[in-house]
Amino acid sequence: MTPERRLETDTDDGMLLIISGPSGVGKTTITRGVERAISDSVFSVSATTRDQTAADVEGVDYRFVSDEAFQAMIDADALLEWAEVFGKRYGTPRAWVEEQLARGRLVILEIDVEGAKQVKAKMPEAFGLFVLPPSEEALLERLRSRRRESEEQIQARFREAQREIRVARECGAYDAFVVNDDLDRAIESALAQVRRARESGRKRSAPRP
């Protein structure tokens, strides 16, 4: 998809960036660090069928839609990925992502492993980045240090994190892995991987002399 009108800021080096990682690994902080450091980056806002709360801002936190509208998007293949969580559905609208890519933006999706597999199947040129903990023991300690849940809930999250890491390593959706043993260093590593991938894509798409 190409935008109907080109803007002065439009370029031809758009890239779709997928960032994933298990709960407690710090992926959201790293995602925001990448977003702040790259001036033409935009963060994809998911559509959801969950109810909007007083704290939610439409189009910033989520795009709130009805169950019927969400199903219509599924039927029209208008979502790059979607999932159902506790009876509510969440997904990434395809048209907005494609428009931003056509304008040369770095489009960031912070999604889970299953979503990343769906996106990669539809847009294999996307760059997948997975955030790892320095060790399983460190991840378990981070989950406990948040003091939000019971030990039973923490252990359930930990088992899910182990599964996610295993699937991420095996599924082929990720092009790079970043270990978050030090937050600043992890952000710099993520930025280096993203810039290298974008430069590589820019060279591939450049016309030959």
Side-chain angles (χ1 to χ4, degrees), residues 5-16:
R5 291 188 302 172
R6 296 283 286 183
L7 304 176
E8 290 184 4
T9 54
D10 288 352
T11 66
D12 296 315
D13 61 343
M15 189 176 88
L16 182 57

Side-chain angles (χ1 to χ4, degrees), residues 15 19 85 99 128 157 178:
M15 189 176 88
I19 300 182
V85 182
E99 178 185 346
R157 281 194 183 275
V178 170

Side-chain angles (χ1 to χ4, degrees), residues 66-80:
S66 66
D67 286 304
E68 294 76 16
F70 198 98
Q71 186 60 49
M73 287 191 285
I74 294 173
D75 295 341
D77 195 27
L79 296 172
L80 288 176

Side-chain angles (χ1 to χ4, degrees), residues 33 44 50 67 74-75 79 109 120 122-123 148 178 205:
S44 175
R50 83 157 172 79
D67 286 304
I74 294 173
D75 295 341
L79 296 172
L109 306 183
K120 270 286 199 173
K122 294 179 179 178
M123 302 185 75
R148 298 178 188 171
V178 170
S205 63

Side-chain angles (χ1 to χ4, degrees), residues 23-62:
S23 179
V25 81
K27 63 181 175 296
T28 297
T29 305
I30 291 171
T31 297
R32 296 305 183 189
V34 171
E35 184 183 14
R36 285 193 299 269
I38 298 179
S39 61
D40 66 346
S41 64
V42 288
F43 190 80
S44 175
V45 178
S46 297
T48 183
T49 60
R50 83 157 172 79
D51 293 334
Q52 183 175 358
T53 69
D56 290 324
V57 178
E58 167 66 30
V60 175
D61 297 296
Y62 289 100

Side-chain angles (χ1 to χ4, degrees), residues 11-16 104 106 125-127 192-207:
T11 66
D12 296 315
D13 61 343
M15 189 176 88
L16 182 57
L106 175 71
E125 70 277 12
F127 185 77
Q193 298 273 13
V194 170
R195 286 168 173 153
R196 190 178 303 119
R198 202 172 187 191
E199 180 62 28
S200 176
R202 189 180 293 126
K203 288 177 180 178
R204 286 197 302 271
S205 63

